[in-house]
Amino acid sequence: MKKTIYILYCAILALAVSACSKEEQGDSNGLPYITFGVSGINIDTKALITNDDLTSNSHPNVYVYGVKNNTTNIFDGTEIYKESDSNNWNTNPKEQWEPGQSYSFHGFTHSPQTPTNGASFSMKSSGLEINVSQPDDYDEANMVDYLLSHAYKVADGSNYRTVMLYMQHAMSWIEIVVQKEMPEHTIALNSINLSNIFKSATMKCEFQGIANSGDKNVWAVQLSGTNNQTYTKTSFTTSGENHLGSMRILAIPQQLTNATTLAVNYTVTEPSGAKTYDQEFILLNYTPYVWESGHKIIYTLTINTGVQLKGEICEWKDGGYTEGVILPNN
């Protein structure tokens, strides 16, 4: 009797292990499923898609294109879904690797909200071409963010692995930080004004970086309209003893002109009373004078009774790679 029970237990255990193995590897033909991983960057604002967003269970929609043997589309803008208990992403239904077949994949994601306030977004050519307009007025929540991954190549489906979609931002990330020089200064920031930039463009990816190569996606930008867009912010939150406020913009990549200005209005309380100042800077006179795709650019304004401006391209970990630091040319 005990021997019979033991044999029955072993049979049930074998079936359970077999079923688990097939689910991990694939269905009854034993081929493994094509599984994805998604990696972004970690900077916080309302419109910008961050790595925290992509790893959360309330992530923005992510889509994938996949080609087998350079001819057969196996994914055509197909949405992938994150497993709730892991960082794996899959299509529904799942697809399987095939030995001897070569593959190429890339993915994309964009701001989850429907753009309003003059903003718009559309795409074609498997996500390698986009049309973007940013909002008419300063509106962080309605700025358009778009991320395109590197291309991921697999020479042979028998060497299956997780397909990592290393996402890179197509827009330029502009942050204007205003601070006072000394904590004892009594200064109130009234407004930040960024004037005469382009808000619309058609962007085509001319070169798509290959995953794990260190290359970056390269975009050709065809600006549209005129460079007369102005953004103004008048409400600020301080943080730390010197920080007076900041302004964040997702901008169309572009070269600046003599008309592009950054202005700040502030009030200084002095022994003789409060006095309000206006300071304006022509950004073409400061590095960087080109806002490149995928770059985070910080302009720091330091106030006493006057203002000093410093511009720099900061370290940006993008798709697992690190941008160099370019110091300002004052």
Side-chain angles (χ1 to χ4, degrees):
M1 180 66 179
K2 289 183 180 180
K3 184 176 180 181
T4 301
I5 293 174
Y6 176 75
I7 293 173
L8 181 60
Y9 169 78
C10 291
I12 293 172
L13 180 61
L15 286 172
V17 170
S18 175
C20 178
S21 176
K22 289 176 182 178
E23 175 59 25
E24 289 176 354
Q25 294 183 359
D27 62 18
S28 58
N29 61 20
L31 297 177
Y33 290 122
I34 299 174
T35 302
F36 298 90
V38 180
S39 176
I41 58 176
N42 192 16
I43 301 172
D44 180 35
T45 188
K46 294 178 182 177
L48 195 75
I49 296 172
T50 72
N51 197 51
D52 287 346
D53 294 329
L54 294 171
T55 56
S56 74
N57 289 329
S58 57
H59 56 78
N61 294 344
V62 180
Y63 305 89
V64 65
Y65 284 87
V67 178
K68 183 171 64 176
N69 296 331
N70 298 317
T71 56
T72 305
N73 286 337
I74 55 173
F75 300 122
D76 189 11
T78 304
E79 186 173 358
I80 57 176
Y81 301 89
K82 182 178 177 296
E83 297 175 0
S84 59
D85 57 348
S86 75
N87 289 322
N88 292 334
W89 298 62
N90 300 103
T91 54
N92 185 18
K94 298 177 181 179
E95 296 289 338
Q96 293 173 296
W97 294 107
E98 295 182 32
Q101 311 299 306
S102 65
Y103 297 84
S104 178
F105 302 93
H106 72 265
F108 66 90
T109 184
H110 52 80
S111 304
Q113 77 280 359
T114 301
T116 59
N117 188 20
S120 63
F121 171 80
S122 63
M123 53 159 286
K124 60 182 180 179
S125 302
S126 304
L128 300 178
E129 180 177 343
I130 57 175
N131 291 293
V132 179
S133 285
Q134 297 293 5
D136 292 333
D137 302 303
Y138 182 69
D139 185 352
E140 259 190 74
N142 278 296
M143 293 179 181
V144 177
D145 194 13
Y146 182 76
L147 287 77
L148 175 69
S149 81
H150 291 145
Y152 194 99
K153 307 288 186 179
V154 176
D156 184 348
S158 63
N159 297 320
Y160 67 91
R161 65 190 71 184
T162 299
V163 176
M164 286 303 301
L165 302 177
Y166 295 115
M167 298 287 189
Q168 290 186 337
H169 287 273
M171 299 297 109
S172 299
W173 174 234
I174 312 302
E175 184 167 15
I176 302 161
V177 177
V178 184
Q179 61 188 21
K180 53 187 176 180
E181 187 174 44
M182 301 294 290
E184 58 267 24
H185 292 164
T186 304
I187 302 174
L189 177 61
N190 302 319
S191 67
I192 300 173
N193 186 278
L194 179 64
S195 297
N196 299 322
I197 62 173
F198 286 93
K199 71 179 285 285
S200 303
T202 296
M203 299 177 59
K204 296 181 180 180
C205 186
E206 287 191 326
F207 174 81
Q208 193 173 15
I210 306 299
N212 302 316
S213 69
D215 294 329
K216 296 183 68 66
N217 296 333
V218 177
W219 292 88
V221 181
Q222 181 64 50
L223 298 167
S224 58
T226 56
N227 64 330
N228 61 358
Q229 179 62 43
T230 295
Y231 289 128
T232 302
K233 185 177 181 181
T234 57
S235 178
F236 304 98
T237 301
T238 60
S239 61
E241 59 183 8
N242 284 12
H243 180 266
L244 295 173
S246 61
M247 182 179 187
R248 298 171 175 178
I249 297 167
L250 286 167
I252 299 295
Q254 59 193 278
Q255 180 167 331
L256 306 183
T257 71
N258 277 319
T260 308
T261 59
L262 173 59
V264 60
N265 180 281
Y266 58 97
T267 300
V268 180
T269 301
E270 302 170 340
S272 58
K275 187 173 180 180
T276 298
Y277 297 87
D278 281 297
Q279 297 283 346
E280 183 178 274
F281 301 87
I282 299 173
L283 289 184
L284 190 61
N285 296 333
Y286 296 83
T287 300
Y289 46 82
V290 177
W291 294 347
E292 294 189 44
S293 175
H295 282 180
K296 179 189 178 185
I297 298 160
I298 292 185
Y299 293 100
T300 303
L301 298 109
T302 304
I303 300 175
N304 40 50
T305 53
V307 183
Q308 296 82 44
L309 173 64
K310 180 181 75 172
E312 60 182 331
I313 301 175
C314 297
E315 180 182 288
W316 190 345
K317 293 182 179 179
D318 197 4
Y321 306 117
T322 303
E323 284 294 331
V325 177
I326 301 177
L327 297 178
N329 180 16
N330 292 327

